[in-house]
Amino acid sequence: MVKAVLTASIATALAATVPSAPAVPAQAATGTAVAGGARCAVPEEPGRFTDGTGSATVTVTDVDADCLRTYKLVSSVAGERVIKEAPGKPTLRSGSVLLDGLYAMAHDDAELNKTDRLTDGSYNDGKPIDCPGGCYQTGKLWTYVWTRDVAYSADLGLTTADPERMRNTLAFKLSERRDGSGDTQIIQDTGTGGSYPSSTDRVVWALGASEIINWLPDGKRQAFADKAYEAIRNTIEHDRKVVFDRGDGLYLGEHSFLDWREQSYADWTKDDVATIATSRSLSTNVTHWAAIDAAARLAADAGDKSAAAKYRGWADDLMQAVREKFWLPGKGQFSQMLSTEKDTSPVNRYDALGTSLAVLTGVATPQQAKQAVANYPQTPYGPSVLWPQQQGVPSYHNNAVWPFVTAYMMRAAAKTGNDAVATQQARSLVRGGALFATDKENINILDGSTKTALNSDRQLWSVAGMMSMVQQSIFGIDAREDGLHIDPFLPAQLRETYFPGGERAALNDLDYRGHKLNVALDIPAGKAGEGAYQVESLTLDGKEVPAGTPITEKMLGDGESGESTVVVKLAEPAAGSGQKAPKPVDLSSKEALYGPTTPDVRNVTVKDGRTQLSLDIGDENPAKVTMDVLRDGKVIAENVAVGAGEQTWTDRTARPEEVSPCYSARLTYTSSGNTSQHAEPECYWGPGDDRVHKVTGEDFEATGGKKTSGDNGVYYADWGTDPGDKLAARITPKATGEYLLQADAAVGGPINTGVSSGMKMLRVHDDATGELVTERVIAMPNTGSWTTVRGSTFAKAELTEGKTYRIELAQDPLAVNMSYFQHNALYKDTREGPSNYSDVYAIKTLLKRATTAGSKQ
């Protein structure tokens, strides 16, 4: 056993050099040479990691006969940890023991997350649940599988560690219906308002599945591809009918991953989550695009030309809608969301995950991609997952860096050729791993600590993020349908920080479709100040491969060693190719870090034919903020000077006699440009709200349930789950025009979790002819108690003055929450069967726009 010691040292700004291991000659092109050279080299020089918040020492204590190292990491923050490289798993020999050790730590964290049985207190009374073939649990504290966590982990670096275990873990989140009718779909996890359809990012499963398919070997790939296609197809077809808005071409639902609503939405949404269910978020729409794109590719592979063409059309249309509706030209950024049905204007707030996914999927145009990456705000500890921060909200999604999102941002930076941003992301990932001696869930941006509301060691997508930094970004390894593409992105600053003297970096023992592969980067000697090294040539087992040529299975494993080696020769960065690094935000400045508090639109009235808003800017200093006024999804006044506290503002361009306008407002700090959340929309519904027609439970025609009265009025108890349950109301409009239709209901489940959001099909029939006028699934999310009544999501209809319409709420195969799927047969609240109960108190029509003179009230 060879013993050696090395400590890696970096200065406060992570800019000091680290002595490199002896370089392997560039002509060593075979797998054996890479393995026997850089892989077995004995580090000689000590050093240590340090910044203003702590220090860490990485030591190689043993190198065994197979050249596998044992590392000891000692952190002033987290204590000691011993890490051993595992046989058969990839190893890194970069010239920096710090990077090599953190990459080995990620694989060790992944091993610790392996399990054959999963547990969660909400499932199976906390007893273990088998995961056939073995799974990855989500983290040390999260011993179950969540759809988004495992999907993002698979799409990042974790698939390379064990493609088959990743396949099993993803498959755990597929389920047929409990009634035996099949219809395998992707499961939306427990969440806001009872989960689906308030949250709809389950489609991110397709990102992970696509990556896994591209790594699995022959004989295993097609079976999983077939299973994935069935689930993705069923899911996107279902979502198209339930959460797609044909008016703007976008999908409804909460942000992907940012699922703690107080952290990323305005405070007025926290108890009324139907508003969140009607928001359009950037990240979720991009994941819907990814699922539709995957369906188009899988349909083509299956020979289903008609389905492939349909899904490609859906994907193209959605891509265009995202580019047009989320892009903020004046900011050079994508908006985080369009906040709700009554205010579909994009917020001047950003989301690092959504931005990165838009870049990586190609949903963003090349110009949008470059601007979005270059302009996204950075902090000394990395990119906060949302921007700006929200005042008075604890650190979790707010005021936090999440390493998996940082890894996505690094990939996006590599794709856009931004060496400075890529280097910043790498430094954030390295700091987190070194100081905390594990791949933590999140990091507080205020002080760089892990003091956040919830935080777990070895969080699965953070593990994957560390792998991604090395595999996908620096080494440029990208598995696609046609083979393995290798396009390294090594910024000169990154090389100078970690291995300034090293002339070869090698990633060994990748398992690509059952073949062992080593990838080596030959780096020019000397110092390059900025930019990223260019690819000069690429060889496979000593034979040159033309640029851009994918490496296929047939090209691998023919040598005596049974493995293959790719050597990428890098050239100096192109002159002038370096990007300017974004200056980290000053964390001591409130106005630089936070957005203003959310203003309040208290009332909308009409006086002398003009609408007048009563507004309140709260405690904000009027000398430091300006206001934008928004009407029906558009900004109608910008940079308006404001006074303190309550005030009025008059809209001189509205036509309140024809349109029921809905107003919102936002505040902006003049010093930083940081913008508040949008105010809760307030609408003018005519004199005395006479454009709102309400039929209460007293007048319903009902099938099922028991007529009951309470403090909130008359409703039908125990109604909504049986297949024949139905409520109906008759309404005769006083005006012809565009209407919003809504139910007022109580659904007693918790607001922040659950799987049984209230859902019903709303149908409008011409009462005289029986003709179907419109139908739409509406959601009645959990309201927290059976005595709290809230409005549902909306349906839209064109109704004619004087006609009588019958509006029905009924069960339907589309109006199903997640309790209808077998996966949730073990969930604590739905063990006895699907649950879709709603206490409906009223059915309403709201006249949004009149189209006849008689309606000008």
Side-chain angles (χ1 to χ4, degrees), residues 319-587:
M319 176 183 288
Q320 191 59 35
V322 171
R323 289 175 174 178
E324 292 176 357
K325 293 182 169 62
F326 287 95
W327 184 246
L328 303 170
K331 303 288 185 179
Q333 280 286 350
F334 282 100
S335 170
Q336 181 184 24
M337 63 179 166
L338 316 182
S339 60
T340 189
E341 184 66 45
K342 295 179 185 175
D343 173 25
T344 55
S345 54
V347 301
N348 285 343
R349 302 173 70 86
Y350 322 128
D351 165 8
L353 177 62
T355 298
S356 300
L357 292 176
V359 171
L360 291 167
T361 57
V363 167
T365 68
Q367 187 60 30
Q368 287 173 339
K370 288 182 179 180
Q371 290 185 50
V373 169
N375 294 336
Y376 195 88
Q378 301 286 331
T379 79
Y381 305 112
S384 175
V385 295
L386 53 84
W387 196 269
Q389 310 311 303
Q390 303 212 129
Q391 297 184 44
V393 178
S395 178
Y396 185 60
H397 295 140
N398 192 62
N399 276 334
V401 166
W402 286 63
F404 93 93
V405 177
T406 305
Y408 269 119
M409 184 66 77
M410 186 174 179
R411 283 177 61 186
K415 181 169 181 176
T416 59
N418 195 315
D419 60 305
V421 171
T423 300
Q424 287 177 317
Q425 311 319 292
R427 289 173 175 170
S428 175
L429 291 165
V430 168
R431 176 189 177 275
L435 286 186
F436 305 117
T438 186
D439 294 294
K440 293 292 284 189
E441 186 173 357
N442 46 60
I443 295 168
N444 190 320
I445 64 169
L446 298 181
D447 58 9
S449 74
T450 56
K451 296 175 183 177
T452 63
L454 293 169
N455 213 327
S456 176
D457 291 355
R458 63 173 194 265
Q459 191 74 3
L460 198 66
W461 49 19
S462 300
V463 173
M466 182 65 74
M467 295 179 183
S468 174
M469 176 186 74
V470 173
Q471 296 164 184
Q472 295 174 322
S473 294
I474 295 175
F475 279 81
I477 295 170
D478 181 15
R480 303 181 198 170
E481 294 170 273
D482 61 351
L484 197 66
H485 293 251
I486 300 177
D487 187 14
F489 188 78
L490 177 60
Q493 299 172 57
L494 195 60
R495 189 270 186 104
E496 287 303 311
T497 299
Y498 297 110
F499 41 99
E503 296 180 20
R504 169 165 283 193
L507 186 58
N508 303 301
D509 282 338
L510 288 170
D511 186 352
Y512 175 64
R513 296 187 177 181
H515 299 267
K516 284 295 181 182
L517 180 67
N518 307 309
V519 180
L521 308 181
D522 281 347
I523 310 167
K527 182 175 181 178
E530 61 179 19
Y533 291 95
Q534 303 177 84
V535 175
E536 181 176 309
S537 65
L538 185 149
T539 60
L540 173 62
D541 294 330
K543 298 179 182 179
E544 187 164 352
V545 177
T549 301
I551 296 170
T552 65
E553 294 168 85
K554 293 180 179 179
M555 299 165 66
L556 299 176
D558 295 332
E560 293 182 6
S561 64
E563 60 185 62
S564 294
T565 296
V566 171
V567 176
V568 183
K569 184 177 181 181
L570 299 178
E572 296 287 345
S577 64
Q579 301 287 314
K580 185 177 180 180
K583 184 178 180 180
V585 172
D586 180 3
L587 299 178

Side-chain angles (χ1 to χ4, degrees), residues 750-827:
I751 292 176
N752 65 333
T753 189
V755 298
S756 52
S757 174
M759 296 177 67
K760 293 293 175 285
M761 179 66 77
L762 184 150
R763 293 187 177 94
V764 180
H765 293 271
D766 185 315
D767 198 44
T769 66
E771 178 186 0
L772 179 66
V773 175
T774 191
E775 64 177 2
R776 175 78 181 186
V777 174
I778 62 168
M780 295 169 277
N782 294 355
T783 59
S785 79
W786 291 105
T787 59
T788 301
V789 179
R790 302 278 184 191
S792 71
T793 60
F794 296 100
K796 300 174 185 177
E798 293 277 349
L799 304 180
T800 302
E801 178 183 355
K803 280 191 175 183
T804 299
Y805 296 90
R806 177 183 170 89
I807 304 176
E808 294 179 350
L809 298 179
Q811 286 288 71
D812 188 89
L814 287 173
V816 292
N817 55 46
M818 288 293 110
S819 75
Y820 284 78
F821 290 87
Q822 187 62 38
H823 182 89
N824 285 315
L826 294 177
Y827 185 68

Side-chain angles (χ1 to χ4, degrees), residues 690-695 730-733 843-846:
D690 61 3
R691 297 176 189 174
V692 178
H693 189 173
K694 178 187 293 188
V695 178
R730 284 182 170 82
I731 290 178
T732 304
I843 295 174
K844 301 182 297 188
T845 61
L846 302 90

